[in-house]
Amino acid sequence: MSATAGTAAPKTGGGRQPRSGHGWWMVAALAVTQTIGYGVLYYAFSVFLTPMARDLNASGTQIAAALTGSILIAALCAPLVGRRPDAHGGRGLMTAGSVLGTGAVLAWSRVDSLPQLYAVFAVIGIACSIPPAPTAKAPRPKSGPGSSEPPPAGGRSGYW
């Protein structure tokens, strides 16, 4: 390689000063909250399965059906929820998902019957259809008049 080839390479960051690191705090906060969210909404269920079955006088199968229903509802809601960040960005959707998930977990703590458990887990399914990480990084389409970028294939952001 010649000496001129090494000097022709562009400077990293476009010659700008390095950023303050504020973005890394946001990434760290997202990582922590996503880990806690998945831990509470999915993984804690196995810990509470036996006590819930005992308290609700139900079988483990009946209790596990609540989580199964929740996952099915999340799958049904995902295509509808997935279109929202394309049109409006992800912040509002992430906030709504967090608030809905928090409310559902609080309601879960007050469940006294199997139908209430199924209803709460239906809401948890809706909240789980709003994943925080893909929503946070979903790009907004930049196509249209004056844009040099083509629209995303199929009108989707491609974050799945």
Side-chain angles (χ1 to χ4, degrees):
M1 217 186 232
S2 68
T4 57
T7 58
K11 295 180 182 179
T12 27
R16 295 177 292 193
Q17 293 293 324
R19 293 177 52 166
S20 66
H22 175 70
W24 287 110
W25 284 107
M26 292 177 67
V27 169
L30 180 64
V32 169
T33 56
Q34 185 169 359
T35 302
I36 291 169
Y38 279 115
V40 170
L41 294 174
Y42 283 117
Y43 305 125
F45 188 84
S46 63
V47 174
F48 298 130
L49 181 69
T50 303
M52 281 190 302
R54 183 184 63 243
D55 292 347
L56 298 176
N57 294 321
S59 69
T61 304
Q62 290 173 311
I63 301 296
L67 182 62
T68 301
S70 174
I71 293 169
L72 289 172
I73 289 170
L76 291 172
C77 292
L80 300 172
V81 170
R83 291 183 184 106
R84 175 105 165 76
D86 291 341
H88 305 286
R91 288 184 183 183
L93 191 61
M94 285 176 53
T95 302
S98 296
V99 169
L100 188 62
T102 301
V105 169
L106 290 173
W108 182 15
S109 73
R110 307 299 301 166
V111 164
D112 292 327
S113 68
L114 202 53
Q116 286 178 343
L117 182 70
Y118 291 155
V120 165
F121 268 82
V123 175
I124 287 176
I126 295 168
C128 288
S129 71
I130 306 170
T135 305
K137 64 184 178 185
R140 294 183 68 174
K142 296 179 182 177
S143 59
S147 174
S148 61
E149 298 182 37
R156 295 180 46 174
S157 297
Y159 57 84
W160 281 111

